[in-house]
Amino acid sequence: MTALATGQPATVRATVRHTMGMPVSVHVRGPRPDGGPVTAAVERVFDWLAQVDRLFSPFRPDSEVCRLQRGDLGLVDADPLVREVARLCDRASARTGGAFTALLPGPGARTGFNPTGLVKGWAVQRAVDDLAAAPGLAGHDVLVNAGGDIAVRCGSVAATPWRIGIEDPRDRSTLLATISLRRGGVATSGTAARGRHILDPATGKPVRTDLVSATVTGPDLAWADVYATAAFVRGRAGAAWLATLPGYRGLLVTTHGSLIRVGQA
Amino acid sequence: MRRITTAVMATVTTLVLLLSYRTSLGQGATTSEPAAPEGTGSSGTGNGTVVTPGEPDSSEGSATGLTDGTFTGDAVSTRWGDVQVAITVSGGLITAADAVACPSGNRHDREINAYAVPVLNAEVVDAQSSAIDAVSGATVTSDGYIESLQSAIDAARA
């Protein structure tokens, strides 16, 4: 058990559901993590993620993203959330020099709008922000882990930080490093879990990279997610680019087994 | 296979974490919420043990309060037989966790045990030395989650 800055005992409760095709763990730490208000707020996290899945899932034929890809829906008629994500994707592409892109080969090998590389981080960051601001959550610390992308917020600057381990992609039962975080996100892009699923925007094929994984941490999980994907695509040469992004730090694992730390540890 | 592994891992993980409290306090007391023990000095606002101030520390100068040696926990009945875990403490840290009683009999059970123990060893040694709350890695699918360290942490806090 940890003690809060006020000296009250704190307990932590985790709720796990499977949504968006992945396990999502919501941890709440504080004086009353089992109480009615917290339980209701945690339910709203899963409701939000279900809504995101209905709009954005590339595996649901009736999602707005799939309908956009097929040409059955125009972006101007899409849900405001979809349009917001599309704008973010444009900014992400600009900020990463094209290493991140939402224009990817889709059904029938046509290039179409696929924001999957940004949606998860964006959705989880929103979930954590809403959860931390919900009634009954004052004085509580929250963490959401969606399949390895993590966002956290603590209720006070004196709170015990959340400890986040970075999995070693070469041996997924051990950790490379741990990060202490009171507010922000950690995202990892790589091939260890799902194989060569990240496409190179230049070729449309699985990216040929000298990295096994790229982990990025910073104030906003949506951007950490984008930068992790972009860093992975760029390879070890991208470490210098990553260093130019204020507020974001990274850990890259190369195919030769070496670690590259970008930014202050 | 996976569900069995989950149950064995969750049971054994919980058991090992409870054991670590038992050995550090020299008492039968267990916490109601087996969070991973925090290393000392990790934060200024409190610590992760339940030792009350003034109680003598039973360790021999180790930072975590665990006494060196090998400790065997009580046998825990699982659907597939009894599982006992022995932990080895060296330099105040758990350096190994081994299942010492296999669920009896068939080849299937021996396969389960051979799979679960090596993964558990790494998890226990790494998780307890850094007391982590979450793991970031390449996206874990729902299938992969069951065998993941995150699932062991989540199960301990459910």
Side-chain angles (χ1 to χ4, degrees):
Chain A
M1 284 207 307
T2 57
L4 296 178
T6 56
Q8 289 172 278
T11 51
V12 57
R13 283 296 177 262
T15 310
V16 184
R17 302 264 173 87
H18 292 259
T19 183
M20 297 168 71
M22 71 188 84
V24 177
S25 312
V26 178
H27 293 227
V28 178
R29 180 176 64 204
R32 268 177 297 282
D34 294 321
V38 173
T39 305
V42 171
E43 279 305 309
R44 286 196 296 277
V45 167
F46 293 112
D47 290 344
W48 159 248
L49 294 177
Q51 181 188 1
V52 169
D53 195 43
R54 281 192 299 274
L55 286 172
F56 291 96
S57 173
F59 306 113
R60 292 179 176 236
D62 56 348
S63 73
E64 292 210 356
V65 163
C66 284
R67 290 169 57 207
L68 283 164
Q69 283 177 347
R70 288 194 303 267
D72 295 343
L73 177 68
L75 193 56
V76 67
D77 300 315
D79 189 284
L81 291 169
V82 175
R83 285 186 275 123
E84 176 184 337
V85 164
R87 282 193 299 272
L88 278 170
C89 286
D90 285 344
R91 288 171 59 196
S93 195
R95 278 200 204 179
T96 60
F100 174 91
T101 177
L103 291 173
L104 297 167
R110 256 186 341 214
T111 303
F113 175 59
N114 184 343
T116 339
L118 182 149
V119 169
K120 187 169 68 157
W122 167 81
V124 173
Q125 184 62 57
R126 284 260 303 231
V128 162
D129 291 341
D130 290 347
L131 183 59
L137 269 294
H140 289 76
D141 307 327
V142 301
L143 175 150
V144 176
N145 182 352
D149 280 7
I150 297 162
V152 308
R153 246 170 108 149
C154 285
S156 89
V157 294
T160 305
W162 292 101
R163 298 275 291 166
I164 295 160
I166 302 175
E167 187 182 79
D168 185 339
R170 305 157 299 183
D171 176 357
R172 298 179 63 208
S173 64
T174 60
L175 304 177
L176 279 176
T178 53
I179 298 172
S180 288
L181 204 56
R182 289 196 178 91
R183 182 168 173 168
V186 182
T188 299
S189 195
T191 49
R194 287 185 296 167
R196 302 177 64 216
H197 65 282
I198 299 168
L199 302 181
D200 185 340
T203 64
K205 295 190 168 58
V207 61
R208 299 173 67 86
T209 174
D210 49 9
L211 294 182
V212 179
S213 76
T215 299
V216 174
T217 178
D220 186 313
L221 178 61
W223 289 107
D225 211 359
V226 166
Y227 298 150
T229 303
F232 185 78
V233 166
R234 283 169 173 258
R236 67 195 309 165
W241 163 76
L242 194 54
T244 66
L245 300 168
Y248 288 84
R249 295 172 282 133
L251 183 64
L252 313 178
V253 183
T254 74
T255 50
H256 297 294
S258 50
L259 301 184
I260 304 173
R261 288 180 194 269
V262 182
Q264 292 130 338
Chain B
M1 170 79 171
R2 289 197 199 100
R3 285 215 307 275
I4 292 167
T5 308
T6 305
V8 171
M9 276 175 48
T11 305
V12 178
T13 302
T14 305
L15 178 66
V16 172
L17 293 169
L18 289 171
L19 277 177
S20 69
Y21 277 105
R22 197 171 282 136
T23 56
S24 68
L25 302 176
Q27 307 162 7
T30 57
T31 62
S32 58
E33 171 242 345
E38 288 194 19
T40 55
S42 60
S43 78
T45 57
N47 61 51
T49 70
V50 295
V51 176
T52 57
E55 215 167 296
D57 186 346
S58 62
S59 76
E60 291 154 7
S62 71
T64 60
L66 297 178
T67 312
D68 287 356
T70 301
F71 305 93
T72 304
D74 296 335
V76 175
S77 289
T78 71
R79 250 180 283 174
W80 302 278
D82 289 347
V83 177
Q84 250 183 325
V85 175
I87 60 168
T88 303
V89 180
S90 177
L93 290 178
I94 300 173
T95 54
D98 300 301
V100 295
C102 304
S104 64
N106 62 54
R107 193 187 110 245
H108 187 48
D109 290 329
R110 285 200 295 279
E111 280 171 9
I112 294 161
N113 213 55
Y115 178 83
V117 174
V119 174
L120 177 64
N121 275 336
E123 286 175 8
V124 170
V125 172
D126 289 315
Q128 59 97 43
S129 63
S130 37
I132 59 168
D133 301 299
V135 180
S136 180
T139 304
V140 177
T141 61
S142 293
D143 285 348
Y145 169 77
I146 294 165
E147 290 142 7
S148 71
L149 178 51
Q150 187 68 51
S151 73
I153 297 168
D154 293 343
R157 300 176 174 187

